[in-house]
Structures are given as C-alpha cells and as structure tokens.
Amino acid sequence: MISNLDNFDLNLLSVVRTLVKYKSTKATALHLGISQASVSRNVRKINDVFGQNVFTRSAHGMEPSALAQKLASAADEMLVPLQLALGEFTEFDPASYDRSISIVIDPFILEEQAERLTKACSQAFPHSKLIFSTWDAQSIQAMKLGEFDYCITDQTVSLPQTIYQEKLYDEPNVIIARKHHPVLSHDHQLEDLLSLPMVSIPAPGLASDNTDYLDLYIDNGLEPNIVFETTNLRTASAYLSSSDAIMFGSPATAKNFTDLDIYTPSNISSNSSYQIYGGFLQSKRNHPLTQCINTMLKNEFKGKAMLFQ
C-alpha cells in the first residue's frame, strides 16, 4: 500500500469520491465528463496504488471497500471547501450571498450617514446579516485579524500598510451652530467668532479635537473656550441647540438635526475638509465580497448629490 503521497495523483480521489456515490463507472464518467474507459483505467490505477481491490465489481455495480469509503470521506473534507472557495470567486452574487457581513465604522460617520449606509448595504446584500460596529482603539487589531470585512474612517485615523484604503467622499469643514445664531447670522468680526463658547467632539481614539480650524485660535494667541465635550453627535446637537456655542464639523452633522445650521464665515479662509475612506485588508483586495462592498459604497457616494448638499 502507498505510504508516501508525494507521487500520488490527487485526481484519483475525485474518481473514488464519485464512484462511491454512484457505484457505476458509466454514471461516474458522465458526472466527471470523461469516458467510461477512463474511469475503468483509473479504477485499476487505484487498485494498483493501494495494493488491493479498492472497488469490486458485482451484480449491483462497483462495490466500495472500507478503504474506498474512507478515501471518499477524506476527499469530501478536502474538495468541498475548495469548491466553495472557487465558487465564491467565479460565481459571486451579492443578491444571493447569505453570510454575515461585518463593517466597522467611525461612530460620527455612522451617525451622519446611517440611513444611506444601511439602505445601500441592505439592498446590495438582501440575504446577509449586516453587522455595523463602531470604531475604537481595538479596531485596527481586529481588522488585521480579519474580524471585520470592511472599515470606514476619516483622515484622522492612521492605518497600517496591511489595510488598503480608497476615498469614498469628502466634505468641507464648517462651523455648526443653532439656527438664527445671534453672532454668526449677522456681520461680525473674527474676534467675535473666536470668543464664542465651543463644543468639542474628539475623533475616535484621539484625546482632543484636531480640527484644522483650531489653528485660528493659536494664530490669534487665543485658547478655544471649550465649554462642552462629548463623543456623541446627538448630545453635542442638544447642547448647541440650546446655547450660543459653536462646533467645527461637517455639513452632514447639521443636516441630521433640524435646530442646527452650517456657517461658513467670510472672515475665515480654509480649504480643509473631512476625507472619508473605505478600507480592507491588502490580502483581500481581490476577494469578490470585499470588491463588491467597496464598489457598492463608492458608487453610492460618487456622482450623487450628498444629503447635505
């Protein structure tokens, strides 16, 4: 009996597996797309390799031995996962994909774009279980371990080279405050703006707000008067709606709250913006699921009027 598999023709396992199932050389030939004579030759090869009759011809067809049944079982364990993997790449259909899809998202982006993201993903993958998690200090390691299929962050998050990124969209950096703000709604001096109380909403994993507009205070020898700090947009909105405080952020934040408005004072010159990126493991760049998620989200935000515009 063979003891070294280095020279073993693994194609024979497919014949064993199919012959155990059908017990017929004719049915096996039809299933494998080869001639009946080829099946018979392969049976003789199998018997020679193992030094025994792995299959025995009888009145009921080709009877498998205990070894044949063991080989067929081993072939199933080896070949079925391979067929499933190949099927994912050659026949991927998001409409019928029924496995879980896990996406980790910057919590502010998730709050801002929740309606758009949930609608786009559920329509693209109607039979999948969607899992949306919020980005935190452990998310990079979880991404590297493959616990998430995709991530959505902004430019403040520095990712390792093992995670590939593509820009999904960007937004201008604006001032957010309550509607009919007593200062911003009228002509005012830069000093008036910089003296207003501020709400700070630090990016995930950062100790403080790193908005480019904060340079305004430094350039004018001032410290921002931060009167409220939170990591929740709804809480920040509640404070802004009932005070004269301002917050630096994106227009997408304001559009979710009817009591807020965006202001772009002429006395501030800034080309800064929030750049939103989709990311996934470099090792999965060619995986059909990853490609489908990335293409779907890029199309969702590209060439369409953003909700805040």
Side-chain angles (χ1 to χ4, degrees):
M1 179 180 290
I2 187 171
S3 59
N4 189 340
L5 293 177
D6 288 345
N7 297 319
F8 180 67
D9 185 356
L10 292 178
N11 290 319
L12 296 177
L13 286 179
S14 180
V15 176
V16 172
R17 178 170 169 254
T18 308
L19 197 51
V20 166
K21 180 179 180 180
Y22 292 109
K23 297 184 180 180
S24 164
T25 56
K26 182 177 181 180
T28 297
L30 289 172
H31 181 82
L32 295 177
I34 59 177
S35 68
Q36 192 171 351
S38 294
V39 174
S40 297
R41 283 196 300 270
N42 283 325
V43 170
R44 288 194 295 272
K45 286 183 182 179
I46 294 166
N47 290 338
D48 290 343
V49 165
F50 291 99
Q52 59 178 282
N53 288 331
V54 180
F55 291 93
T56 304
R57 192 178 298 278
S58 72
H60 302 290
M62 301 296 288
E63 292 294 335
S65 65
L67 176 58
Q69 292 173 341
K70 283 282 189 181
L71 289 172
S73 177
D76 278 337
E77 293 178 3
M78 179 176 66
L79 296 177
V80 171
L82 288 174
Q83 290 173 342
L84 289 174
L86 290 173
E88 282 189 1
F89 279 83
T90 59
E91 301 174 358
F92 184 78
D93 178 18
S96 60
Y97 189 78
D98 60 0
R99 302 183 190 179
S100 296
I101 297 175
S102 184
I103 304 178
V104 59
I105 309 169
D106 177 295
F108 307 142
I109 298 172
L110 183 57
E111 284 192 79
E112 293 170 350
Q113 304 293 347
E115 180 180 353
R116 195 162 198 164
L117 289 171
T118 53
K119 183 178 180 180
C121 291
S122 61
Q123 287 182 344
F125 301 96
H127 298 291
S128 294
K129 175 184 178 182
L130 299 174
I131 304 172
F132 285 6
S133 303
T134 53
W135 186 272
D136 59 27
Q138 286 74 47
S139 295
I140 290 180
Q141 183 63 20
M143 278 290 298
K144 291 167 67 175
L145 293 174
E147 296 177 13
F148 298 113
D149 298 302
Y150 197 84
C151 67
I152 303 176
T153 60
D154 66 17
Q155 79 274 18
T156 63
V157 178
S158 178
L159 297 180
Q161 291 186 347
T162 52
I163 300 176
Y164 176 78
Q165 288 184 288
E166 286 192 16
K167 188 164 74 171
L168 297 177
Y169 65 93
D170 52 20
E171 306 178 79
N173 197 340
V174 298
I175 294 175
I176 302 171
R178 67 183 176 94
K179 288 186 175 180
H180 311 298
H181 193 277
V183 175
L184 301 180
S185 296
H186 308 282
D187 292 337
H188 59 275
Q189 300 298 314
L190 179 60
E191 293 77 10
D192 298 325
L193 170 64
L194 298 182
S195 66
L196 291 171
M198 182 193 297
V199 170
S200 175
I201 188 161
L206 297 179
S208 61
D209 194 325
N210 71 334
T211 306
D212 292 339
Y213 273 136
L214 294 182
D215 290 339
L216 282 170
Y217 294 87
I218 298 174
D219 293 344
N220 287 274
L222 299 172
E223 285 287 334
N225 179 24
I226 298 175
V227 295
F228 190 71
E229 182 173 297
T230 180
T231 56
N232 182 271
L233 287 181
R234 187 168 297 278
T235 305
S237 170
Y239 191 95
L240 291 170
S241 299
S242 59
S243 71
D244 292 338
I246 63 172
M247 181 174 76
F248 295 106
S250 69
T253 298
K255 63 93 181 174
N256 283 305
F257 305 103
T258 57
D259 293 334
L260 300 183
D261 210 342
I262 61 173
Y263 298 90
T264 53
S266 59
N267 51 17
I268 292 181
S269 175
S270 176
N271 295 318
S272 65
S273 65
Y274 292 97
Q275 299 170 6
I276 311 304
Y277 292 88
F280 45 89
L281 286 175
Q282 292 275 9
S283 59
K284 292 186 177 181
R285 286 185 66 173
N286 294 321
H287 194 284
L289 173 61
T290 304
Q291 288 295 315
C292 187
I293 296 172
N294 191 55
T295 300
M296 177 267 296
L297 290 176
K298 286 174 66 177
N299 289 339
E300 177 64 25
F301 290 106
K302 181 181 180 181
K304 295 183 181 180
M306 299 293 285
L307 294 177
F308 50 81
Q309 291 180 334

